[in-house]
Amino acid sequence: METTLRGVGVSHGVAIGEVRHMGTAVLEPPAKQIPAEDAEREQGRARQAVEAVAADLIARGNLAGGEAQAVLEAQAMMAQDPELMADVDRRIAVGSTAERAVYDAFAAYRALLAGAGEYLAGRVADLDDVRNRIVARLLGVPMPGVPDSDEPYVLIARDLAPADTALLDPTLVLGFVTEEGGPTSHSAILARALGVPAVVALPGAGELAEGTVIAVDGSTGEIFVEPSAEKKSQLEAAAAARKAALSASTGPGATSDGHKVPLLANVGGPADVPAAVEAGAEGVGLFRTEFLFLDDSKTAPSEEKQVEAYRQVLEAFPEGRVVVRVLDAGADKPLDFLTPADEPNPALGVRGLRSLLDHPDVLRTQLTALAKASEGLPVYLEVMAPMVADRTDAKAFADACRAAGLQAKFGAMVEIPSAALRARSILQEVEFLSLGTNDLAQYTFAADRQVGAVSRLQDPWQPALLDLVALSAEAAKAEGKSCGVCGEAASDPLLACVLTGLGVTSLSMGAASIPYVRATLVKYTLAQCKRAAAAARAADTAEEARTAAQAVLSGE
């Protein structure tokens, strides 16, 4: 009998297939004592297993490239954390086996993260994955991960670690469903980059029996269990119509009456550029530069290394616009040379621009590298600071850009409610705004973007979030300046129309979403988008806002 479940759709498309479950986590190793003379051998085993897992994660990252590479390299750094390894050595010295020492050391660190505020608690799944891989290697059992199958399937998991998501084979994994996670979690972002339909935050997903046929709609978040032939036909017809619309829509982003809305790509490094070019991106709206700094958390990359990486991206978009975000470190992206080690709540501490202003040499080197990378290129370079709170922050960043001789527009990201509320003041110092809706939602609702239990508050359709977008866009218009969106909100085609109606001047998203947004935007006039935006803001909940906007655009 057909039943319908609803989670959070995070990656467009429809997948119909049999359920396969993610490999289970490694069992807890037995607690047994070893003779003192075996301690050195066990410590060697532990170090070899850690290094092997770190090397495997880095190799997976090199294969995946882009954003996935940065995430996996961060996981490798977790595995090699010197304090963790020192704890493992201590536990072995007093009689633990290598596998038990690793298990217990990671458990202690896990408890610290889980109790350090919701932002760091979101890294627990990544830490668990690293632990499981090390213990599995020590026990000589198969690694946890995606199931072996010769036939295509829909993958079900409690959550997907970045190491698994990054290398999913789209020819076998038709789509995936997780119990945890949210619309801006690592897994969701990587799923969009892969173009795999995905639904997250679905309670009870793990109870779906192996081999059950389900249909996954990654746009609506609906899961149809044992769908009827009629439902399958409906979903397949809708998917075919969507694909035809995508093929027919080309060129710059615009509404049906010719109002231009540049569609840009979010990229995590040079490896993401080919997909962005293929999707018809008109430039880059968010170039995340963290990938360079995650290679070695102890020292910043050299100016020469930065120049080379930046130039690869800038050269790919001649005459296009490339918006670079300077290093956004801290919170879930700590760097030894930059991030305080003892912050009680890193998400609300020294992160983003605050870290860079505390380390002006790091900021100066990055800005100088960007200036050199853009020399002689016809690209329109824009550089923005993350986590700007007020005009004082904006002025400090603009002054640093000028001091570095940067010939580019300087901008501020709006990720903190104060920046949206005082956007016009900030625009006295910078030339554009870029809304990071992922963090803006997190800070507006006090809801960690990695925690599935609060995913309702991470929904970018929340009317309060739309109000802050409107405030920012209105301030930019009053100042004659631009205001783009580079958060994942832009990847929702219907929401893209609403954002356009709110006055947003450009939309930046993962490359896989660009064709969907282009094909949807061109169906409606600017006036229709404005009416849909007004209807969404008049609602009280995210679901009501989405329904109201859909009703306006469908003419109901």
Side-chain angles (χ1 to χ4, degrees):
M1 178 179 171
E2 179 182 315
T3 57
T4 304
L5 307 173
R6 183 182 288 276
V8 179
V10 296
S11 185
H12 303 298
V14 172
I16 302 174
E18 292 188 1
V19 163
R20 294 286 182 275
H21 285 270
M22 190 72 155
T24 55
V26 176
L27 294 176
E28 180 178 347
K32 61 181 182 181
Q33 290 291 109
I34 59 168
E37 59 268 23
D38 288 349
E40 187 174 344
R41 177 177 61 83
E42 289 295 289
Q43 288 169 342
R45 285 181 64 228
R47 281 191 291 273
Q48 287 175 1
V50 165
E51 292 304 320
V53 166
D56 177 61
L57 290 167
I58 290 170
R60 285 168 176 261
N62 290 336
L63 284 172
E67 217 169 332
Q69 184 170 7
V71 172
L72 292 171
E73 287 176 350
Q75 270 198 298
M77 284 162 50
M78 273 186 185
Q80 296 170 307
D81 184 283
E83 289 188 19
L84 260 175
M85 282 311 301
D87 191 17
V88 169
D89 282 343
R90 282 195 296 271
R91 292 173 187 274
I92 292 173
V94 295
S96 284
T97 61
E99 48 267 36
R100 185 70 208 192
V102 167
Y103 187 89
D104 288 341
F106 271 76
Y109 191 37
R110 186 187 199 279
L112 285 175
L113 282 186
E118 287 189 348
Y119 206 102
L120 279 180
R123 300 181 69 206
V124 165
D126 291 0
L127 186 71
D128 286 348
D129 180 60
V130 172
R131 176 203 64 199
N132 291 346
R133 290 173 185 277
I134 297 171
V135 173
R137 184 171 289 274
L138 287 166
L139 291 175
V141 300
M143 289 283 176
V146 296
D148 290 328
S149 177
D150 296 328
E151 297 296 323
Y153 59 91
V154 177
L155 181 62
I156 306 291
R158 176 173 294 278
D159 200 358
L160 283 173
D164 298 310
T165 319
L167 294 183
L168 290 179
D169 182 350
T171 63
L172 283 176
V173 181
L174 302 171
F176 67 75
V177 180
T178 66
E179 290 194 42
E180 299 179 357
T184 57
S185 64
H186 287 149
S187 293
I189 292 170
L190 295 176
R192 284 188 284 270
L194 287 167
V196 176
V199 171
V200 301
L202 179 71
E207 296 172 14
L208 292 168
E210 189 89 359
T212 303
V213 175
I214 65 171
V216 179
D217 190 328
S219 300
T220 66
E222 291 175 304
I223 307 293
F224 303 96
V225 182
E226 299 290 3
S228 64
E230 181 182 3
K231 175 59 72 175
K232 287 182 184 178
S233 297
Q234 288 175 356
L235 290 170
E236 287 166 349
R242 202 176 292 153
K243 187 174 182 180
L246 295 181
S247 300
S249 177
T250 57
T255 58
S256 63
D257 55 342
H259 175 73
K260 294 187 182 304
V261 187
L263 302 181
L264 313 170
N266 295 342
V267 303
D272 290 345
V273 168
V277 172
E278 185 180 348
E282 298 167 60
V284 172
L286 172 61
F287 178 11
R288 302 179 178 95
T289 56
E290 289 75 42
F291 75 101
L292 277 169
F293 293 80
L294 290 171
D295 283 348
D296 181 356
S297 71
K298 300 189 184 308
T299 58
S302 68
E303 181 181 302
E304 292 73 20
K305 182 177 180 180
Q306 292 188 55
V307 170
E308 181 183 356
Y310 300 151
R311 196 168 179 92
Q312 285 182 58
V313 176
L314 297 176
E315 287 176 337
F317 295 95
E319 307 292 338
R321 176 185 177 201
V322 175
V323 184
V324 179
R325 180 181 71 190
V326 294
L327 174 64
D328 184 13
D332 67 339
K333 291 172 284 189
L335 296 171
D336 291 348
F337 67 90
L338 201 67
T339 309
D342 55 353
E343 287 187 297
N345 191 341
L348 300 179
V350 182
R351 64 165 294 197
L353 180 61
R354 298 167 187 175
S355 292
L356 294 174
L357 294 178
D358 280 353
H359 297 80
D361 53 325
V362 176
L363 177 59
R364 184 169 51 250
T365 300
Q366 184 168 26
L367 295 174
T368 302
L370 285 165
K372 290 183 178 179
S374 61
E375 284 177 0
L377 296 181
V379 68
Y380 295 95
L381 176 63
E382 301 184 9
V383 182
M384 62 186 182
M387 301 300 294
V388 171
D390 56 15
R391 183 173 179 173
T392 300
D393 279 352
K395 183 179 188 304
F397 179 65
D399 288 347
C401 289
R402 283 187 282 269
L406 192 60
Q407 299 299 309
K409 284 187 175 182
F410 318 140
M413 291 197 71
V414 177
E415 301 168 284
I416 304 172
S418 65
L421 294 168
R422 301 289 294 170
R424 198 158 182 181
S425 171
I426 287 171
L427 284 165
Q428 305 310 303
E429 304 294 343
V430 295
E431 297 171 83
F432 69 93
L433 300 177
S434 183
L435 287 144
T437 53
N438 303 351
D439 268 326
L440 185 57
Q442 171 170 259
Y443 289 117
T444 298
F445 296 103
D448 189 339
R449 54 194 285 192
Q450 301 292 341
V451 177
V454 292
S455 62
R456 174 182 73 84
L457 297 171
Q458 269 291 333
D459 191 326
W461 280 95
Q462 286 283 357
L465 188 65
L466 299 181
D467 288 343
L468 293 176
V469 173
L471 276 175
S472 304
E474 288 162 5
K477 183 177 180 180
E479 293 295 328
K481 296 179 178 180
S482 63
C483 176
V485 167
C486 64
E488 290 300 316
S491 66
D492 179 334
L494 182 62
L495 186 51
C497 296
V498 167
L499 295 173
T500 298
L502 292 174
V504 166
T505 55
S506 65
L507 299 166
S508 190
M509 64 208 77
S513 298
I514 291 175
Y516 290 91
V517 172
R518 182 192 294 119
T520 303
L521 196 60
V522 78
K523 294 178 183 178
Y524 307 109
T525 64
L526 178 59
Q528 286 176 298
C529 292
K530 287 181 176 179
R531 288 198 296 274
R537 288 184 69 190
D540 290 321
T541 68
E543 189 170 346
E544 288 172 4
R546 185 186 292 107
T547 301
Q550 180 68 68
V552 169
L553 293 177
S554 61
E556 295 177 7

